[in-house]
Amino acid sequence: MKILVIGASGTIGSAVTEALDGEHEVVKASRTGEVRVDLSDPASIEAMFQAVPELDAVLSTAGSASFGPLDSLSDEDFALSLGNKLMGQVNLVRLGRKHLNPGGVITLTTGILAHNPNPHTVILTMINRALEGFVESAALDMPNDQRLNGVCPPMVKETAEKMGWGPGGVPAVDIAKYYLQSIEPGSNGRSFGPAH
Ligand SMILES: NC(=O)c1ccc[n+]([C@@H]2O[C@H](COP(=O)([O-])OP(=O)(O)OC[C@H]3O[C@@H](n4cnc5c(N)ncnc54)[C@H](OP(=O)(O)O)[C@@H]3O)[C@@H](O)[C@H]2O)c1
């Protein structure tokens, strides 16, 4: 398969590209990657799809959003988060389905905070649940036998270490397996991860 990975240089994305390499033709994208894209800019998403034709799969392992309790969040925090992690990935589907090969599959990234809310995750919990709803409903209307799935990663071990959150978390190499499952034939509108 020819697979575009957006966020390929990240903690999860680099584990995903490593898992795919060798078996598949992998094209790596991010704001500074071999293919340049900014998820928050629909024109740059369209330009990416024009530059990388005939894709069998698109895996999004990107998407930023702000942390913090409700009173600390500004209008900008909401606007940036909604425009990036939510609408950036929604626009990947809106624009990508016109370019994806028949039978192709798109996978978006949500996150465990959809199901484990706390006062600091109000934006991420909201966006992750919105993405799960988008995946379930938009999957019913994909053209040309295309499919749409999500991966809901738990906390990543490498991220927990980097952030000083302690010894918990799941290694990125194990989280990459959910992305591989999401592109296997058959599934549509599903979320993959330990919470599903
Ligand atoms: N890490 C965790 O514990 C965890 C848990 C649950 C869910 N998640 C979700 O998983 C996704 C990836 O997390 P991660 O920890 O792997 O992130 P990360 O290590 O910070 O990597 C982010 C990747 O996305 C790219 N990127 C950032 N902003 C972008 C933009 N506007 N347009 C295109 N590419 C962009 C980055 O490269 P450039 O800088 O070159 O653009 C990088 O390749 C996020 O949606 C996150 O919410 C993470």
Side-chain angles (χ1 to χ4, degrees):
M1 291 170 85
K2 182 175 177 184
I3 303 178
L4 176 67
V5 180
I6 296 144
S9 60
T11 310
I12 293 176
S14 53
V16 170
T17 52
E18 214 163 292
L20 295 168
D21 261 339
E23 293 268 317
H24 301 281
E25 181 188 349
V26 181
V27 182
K28 301 173 185 173
S30 71
R31 289 169 306 181
T32 58
E34 65 183 49
V35 171
R36 300 283 170 101
V37 65
D38 182 349
L39 271 189
S40 64
D41 175 6
S44 110
I45 296 175
E46 178 63 28
M48 170 186 69
F49 284 123
Q50 298 276 358
V52 191
E54 301 195 357
L55 290 164
D56 300 302
V58 177
L59 304 186
S60 168
T61 61
S64 310
S66 300
F67 279 92
L70 194 52
D71 282 346
S72 75
L73 295 167
S74 64
D75 288 349
E76 288 73 26
D77 288 320
F78 278 94
L80 288 173
S81 305
L82 292 166
N84 192 311
K85 178 146 182 165
L86 179 60
M87 284 313 298
Q89 294 196 93
V90 167
N91 285 333
L92 268 185
V93 177
R94 294 174 69 214
L95 298 167
R97 52 198 242 144
K98 298 178 194 143
H99 297 275
L100 195 65
N101 283 340
V105 56
I106 301 177
T107 297
L108 306 185
T109 293
T110 63
I112 192 67
L113 295 174
H115 308 287
N116 286 357
N118 76 63
H120 287 264
T121 67
V122 59
I123 287 185
L124 270 159
T125 297
M126 173 182 75
I127 285 176
N128 287 337
R129 286 201 194 169
L131 282 168
E132 288 188 353
F134 174 74
V135 165
E136 282 178 34
S137 50
L140 302 173
D141 189 29
M142 293 291 282
N144 304 318
D145 296 322
Q146 293 171 3
R147 298 179 295 118
L148 173 63
N149 289 310
V151 169
C152 178
M155 184 174 71
V156 180
K157 185 174 171 45
E158 291 86 342
T159 304
E161 282 166 4
K162 194 168 68 185
M163 303 301 286
W165 292 338
V170 177
V173 66
D174 292 328
I175 289 169
K177 293 173 189 161
Y178 296 119
Y179 290 85
L180 268 57
Q181 285 174 19
S182 77
I183 61 172
E184 291 290 321
S187 60
N188 190 30
R190 276 197 57 191
S191 288
F192 292 84
H196 293 269

